[in-house]
Amino acid sequence: MTVVQPNYEVMGKGAAPTALTSFDGMRMKATSGIGNALAVYGASLVNVSGPEQYNALQTGVIDAVAATPSAHGGYKLYELSDWYTTGMAAGTAHVTLVGNEAAYAALPDDMKALLAEAKAHANAATIEAQNAAAAQYEPELEKRGLAHVTITPEMIATLRKEAAQPVWDAYVADLEGKGLPGQEMLNLVLNAGM
């Protein structure tokens, strides 16, 4: 089962990014595709674990962190930051829950049906919990005077064209080179949230 997570946003120190080119020279902890996308604009990706990011931001090892808003709050990055983004809509890390295939196969059919039905409830509860966790830190952002940077639809369109499209094209070519329906898979993913 896929664990549904919100889109990553960026929080950091120094000058707030008012354009995609503002990420040039920014040292950033950014997992998943968002890091690679912002690297197209000059961001330098630094490998820092979750528990280390507060200290890394404090000591200047990194300038920013791309993560879920609840992670920004949970790690108290707002205590050190000057700005944060909303509207990034550039994706998130993929998290999957897995189980033992043999144990699942041994379950009676009614239990398998119950697990399948539980996925929708689990996804809804996860979304609610993530949103609630992020919302509890919003007063701190305002109290501390962090600049709110809204990523515009135009910036997102440019990000998708310049940074995401080459990745998508390579993905489709790789899958179709293996005889798999690459474009169909990409369309499924891109249209899943619509």
Side-chain angles (χ1 to χ4, degrees):
M1 180 181 121
T2 298
V3 177
V4 179
Q5 293 197 80
N7 278 305
Y8 278 21
E9 295 294 344
V10 184
M11 181 176 279
K13 292 171 69 170
T18 55
L20 292 171
T21 54
S22 301
F23 290 100
D24 188 22
M26 192 178 291
R27 295 166 308 214
M28 168 178 289
K29 188 261 182 166
T31 58
S32 74
I34 192 171
N36 295 335
L38 295 176
V40 168
Y41 299 99
S44 299
L45 304 182
V46 180
N47 190 11
V48 175
S49 71
E52 297 172 313
Q53 54 194 3
Y54 186 96
N55 188 48
L57 192 60
Q58 185 177 43
T59 60
V61 170
I62 58 175
D63 304 307
V65 175
T68 63
S70 59
H72 290 154
Y75 286 112
K76 298 186 178 191
L77 302 181
Y78 55 80
E79 292 179 351
L80 306 169
S81 296
D82 299 315
W83 54 267
Y84 67 101
T85 67
T86 59
M88 185 62 81
T92 188
H94 181 80
V95 179
T96 303
L97 297 177
V98 297
N100 182 287
E101 185 176 7
Y104 177 80
L107 291 174
D109 288 343
D110 63 330
M111 292 300 290
K112 289 178 185 175
L114 186 60
L115 284 173
E117 184 182 324
K119 283 184 189 180
H121 298 289
N123 283 336
T126 300
I127 291 167
E128 185 178 323
Q130 285 278 354
N131 289 339
Q136 80 180 29
Y137 300 110
E138 288 175 7
E140 283 294 329
L141 306 181
E142 190 173 319
K143 176 181 158 189
R144 293 171 183 273
L146 273 67
H148 178 189
V149 178
T150 301
I151 305 300
T152 66
E154 294 79 19
M155 290 170 76
I156 293 300
T158 300
L159 183 68
R160 287 183 177 161
K161 179 181 176 189
E162 296 176 352
Q165 192 65 52
V167 175
W168 296 341
D169 292 345
Y171 170 81
V172 168
D174 179 54
L175 284 184
E176 291 186 349
K178 296 174 183 174
L180 299 170
Q183 189 62 54
E184 184 179 337
M185 289 300 296
L186 178 63
N187 291 345
L188 177 70
V189 170
L190 294 178
N191 295 316
M194 306 257 172

